[in-house]
Amino acid sequence: MNEIIAIVQEYGQAYLWSDGYRLSGLAMTLWLLLLSIVIGFVMSVPLAVARVSSNRLISGPVWLYTYVFRGTPLYIQLLIIYSGIYSLEAVRAQPLLDAFFREGFNCTLLAFALNTCAYTTEVFAGMIRETPHGEIEAARAYGMSRFTLYRRIILPSALRRALPSYSNEVILMLHSTSIAFTATVPDLLKVARDVNSATYASFEAFGLAAVLYASVVFALVWLFRRCERRWLAFLQPRAH
Amino acid sequence: MLQGYGPLIASGTWMTLQLALLALAAALLLGLLGASARLSASRLLQTLAAGYTTLIRSVPDLVTMLLLFYSLQIALNHLTEWAGAGQIDIDPFVAGVVTLGIIYGAYFTETFRGAFQAVPRGQLEAAVAYGMTPWQVFRRVLFPQMMRFALPGIGNNWQVMIKATALVSIIGLSDVVKATQDAGKGSLQLFFFSLVAAAIYLAITTVSTLLLAWLGRHYAAGVRKAEL
């Protein structure tokens, strides 16, 4: 117990938001999570529309992308992007690429966004496919163009129905952010590892990180439950 | 093409496969025990099992892995010190199997809980009425029918666990990740050898998908599907 108090007193700030001169710990983990989720979401909506296209030339490449990124571990994707790409002469010769791939944070964000985008694309594509055919036929009968059909009918309903699976993906992404330390990003687990090697109090050092991760998960679950209550109200069983 | 690193990568791949299969066996066993505990009549067992799955599933794999790896070593050190024996270092392979087993056992507990509940109670009561022992009820009636419901969940967990094995190289296992990274550093072709690691994992997940589809057909034998 004394060790926990000592660790909180000495490293509490590093665990939560700053190690003295930069963002660290929980704040860094949440910042990574937020950025990768937002980028992944923005890219996944058009990709999901492409994924359900009946034209093989459009849906094929998206299928390949999600197949490869969902079939390989995120850790290896990060290794390819962080140490793999930067080991190429051609990349280091280009000043712009060199500046981008030298930063562990950029590589981590790129790997996370590409990875979560692949999973999210499949979630959204599945929900678009399950749109009741009557809704689509009615929209066509109203003379809606394909764009209007997606904007007014399919996407609002599919994205809402995707909410439960999407919340799972966000929580899994939070868990995945813990590998950021392998690319030298000072996230929550990096702080815990540093504290572990400084104090040898392994159980306390990692246990504190575990408690923080678990609290974020519980907060996310609560948040998504509220969102579902609001946006999925139309799917609730109705009392007559 | 692999510049003499073929055998190293092959033994790394074999290590990863052994790790994944042993961890799967441990996780399936823990999952069955956990699900039985969650559905048992004892309040204490229910609470313990619920706490286990909730805690494990809310903490990232890697954090649990490092927590268990270091804490188990320290606990073992205390034990050997107390017994007056020399220090025993935990082997990363054993640590990987134990930690992955404990983590994914929690996911399998939830999978099996749902599947157990999907088997009609009447079938179990009929089996008891025939005079079957609890083990016979499990083996002849509950298990074969439960598997049909559990298989999609087992498949998902397995695919996630295969990908989680890549993390065990972080606690020092000479698996396929370590082998390809060593080969990449030795040959100065880190990019190429990282792609090799990705290709090996992609092959494993692809074969798993095909196997699971076959198993799914096997356990769905005799189930009539409505034509839509």
Side-chain angles (χ1 to χ4, degrees):
Chain A
M1 203 59 216
N2 285 334
E3 265 175 335
I4 290 249
I5 293 167
I7 287 177
V8 170
Q9 275 175 345
E10 189 167 356
Y11 301 101
Q13 196 186 339
Y15 267 104
L16 288 178
W17 75 91
S18 164
D19 61 1
Y21 56 101
R22 59 182 172 172
L23 210 60
S24 78
L26 188 62
M28 183 49 121
T29 293
L30 291 177
W31 178 229
L32 261 179
L33 176 70
L34 183 72
L35 283 179
S36 41
I37 288 293
V38 168
I39 299 172
F41 179 85
V42 170
M43 294 197 305
S44 66
V45 174
L47 283 176
V49 173
R51 178 77 180 82
V52 297
S53 165
S54 50
N55 184 345
R56 282 282 176 83
L57 285 176
I58 299 176
S59 68
V62 182
W63 169 82
L64 186 68
Y65 158 66
T66 62
Y67 177 71
V68 169
F69 275 82
R70 296 189 315 147
T72 53
L74 174 59
Y75 180 41
I76 291 186
Q77 293 161 17
L78 180 59
L79 284 173
I80 291 176
I81 291 175
Y82 179 58
S83 45
I85 290 184
Y86 196 62
S87 72
L88 298 175
E89 283 294 335
V91 172
R92 271 176 298 177
Q94 277 267 339
L96 206 68
L97 288 177
D98 180 76
F100 182 87
F101 285 103
R102 198 186 319 158
E103 285 297 322
F105 183 84
N106 295 342
C107 297
T108 312
L109 189 58
L110 181 64
F112 285 4
L114 284 173
N115 184 272
T116 186
C117 176
Y119 284 94
T120 314
T121 299
E122 285 299 323
V123 168
F124 289 164
M127 288 304 156
I128 292 176
R129 272 190 219 108
E130 278 172 31
T131 306
H133 58 86
E135 291 183 14
I136 297 174
E137 284 156 10
R140 286 222 181 95
Y142 268 104
M144 286 187 195
S145 67
R146 185 182 287 254
F147 181 76
T148 317
L149 170 67
Y150 266 104
R151 185 172 61 87
R152 287 211 193 134
I153 308 294
I154 298 179
L155 286 180
S157 129
L159 293 183
R160 281 162 199 242
R161 280 177 287 122
L163 211 53
S165 327
Y166 186 67
S167 68
N168 266 341
E169 170 51 27
V170 172
I171 289 168
L172 285 180
M173 195 58 225
L174 169 71
H175 286 181
S176 306
T177 59
S178 61
I179 64 163
F181 81 85
T182 60
T184 68
V185 176
D187 75 331
L188 187 45
L189 189 55
K190 169 88 161 53
V191 173
R193 278 171 63 95
D194 291 348
V195 171
N196 175 45
S197 40
T199 62
Y200 295 109
S202 306
F203 186 78
E204 290 81 358
F206 290 117
L208 209 53
V211 169
L212 288 171
Y213 277 113
S215 333
V216 177
V217 169
F218 293 137
L220 283 174
V221 168
W222 177 81
L223 194 72
F224 273 107
R225 207 167 279 163
R226 281 195 65 120
C227 293
E228 280 176 34
R229 212 176 300 151
R230 187 179 164 82
W231 287 319
L232 288 180
F234 70 107
L235 291 179
Q236 295 298 317
R238 244 173 300 178
H240 286 286
Chain B
M1 194 174 87
L2 294 174
Q3 301 163 26
Y5 289 105
L8 179 71
I9 294 172
S11 73
T13 309
W14 175 229
M15 185 64 100
T16 295
L17 283 174
Q18 279 175 301
L19 171 72
L21 290 173
L22 279 176
L24 175 70
L28 284 173
L29 194 68
L30 264 176
L32 284 174
L33 288 176
S36 314
R38 283 209 70 159
L39 297 173
S40 78
S42 150
R43 237 336 138 65
L44 179 70
L45 282 178
Q46 284 177 19
T47 317
L48 277 178
Y52 162 60
T53 62
T54 313
L55 271 184
I56 295 280
R57 292 189 308 154
S58 52
V59 177
D61 298 1
L62 189 53
V63 178
T64 316
M65 210 179 274
L66 293 173
L67 180 73
L68 286 174
F69 181 63
Y70 286 108
S71 309
L72 283 179
Q73 180 68 60
I74 289 172
L76 195 65
N77 288 353
H78 283 307
L79 197 71
T80 48
E81 210 170 285
W82 175 77
Q87 182 172 330
I88 305 169
D89 283 322
I90 296 185
D91 176 53
F93 183 77
V94 177
V97 171
V98 171
T99 50
L100 283 178
I102 291 178
I103 294 167
Y104 287 89
Y107 290 89
F108 280 115
T109 298
E110 292 301 316
T111 305
F112 285 136
R113 185 174 67 110
F116 278 143
Q117 286 173 324
V119 177
R121 280 198 77 81
Q123 299 238 2
L124 305 180
E125 285 161 7
V128 174
Y130 266 106
M132 290 190 196
T133 63
W135 169 245
Q136 282 176 326
V137 175
F138 175 77
R139 194 172 59 86
R140 290 192 188 156
V141 181
L142 185 57
F143 186 75
Q145 300 195 75
M146 181 252 337
M147 277 306 278
R148 180 164 69 88
F149 299 106
L151 214 54
I154 294 179
N156 273 343
N157 291 344
W158 163 252
Q159 300 277 33
V160 178
M161 197 178 77
I162 276 281
K163 285 177 261 169
T165 56
L167 299 175
V168 182
S169 65
I170 293 175
I171 57 173
L173 183 71
S174 312
D175 68 340
V176 67
V177 181
K178 179 81 167 41
T180 47
Q181 291 298 302
D182 286 350
K185 281 169 192 150
S187 63
L188 298 177
Q189 292 202 312
L190 210 46
F191 185 66
F192 171 72
F193 279 101
S194 299
L195 286 183
V196 170
I200 291 171
Y201 269 102
L202 200 56
I204 298 175
T205 47
T206 305
V207 171
S208 309
T209 309
L210 297 175
L211 263 174
L212 282 162
W214 177 79
L215 270 178
R217 281 197 298 278
H218 174 76
Y219 279 105
V223 177
R224 201 175 64 184
K225 280 221 181 80
E227 293 282 332
L228 288 174

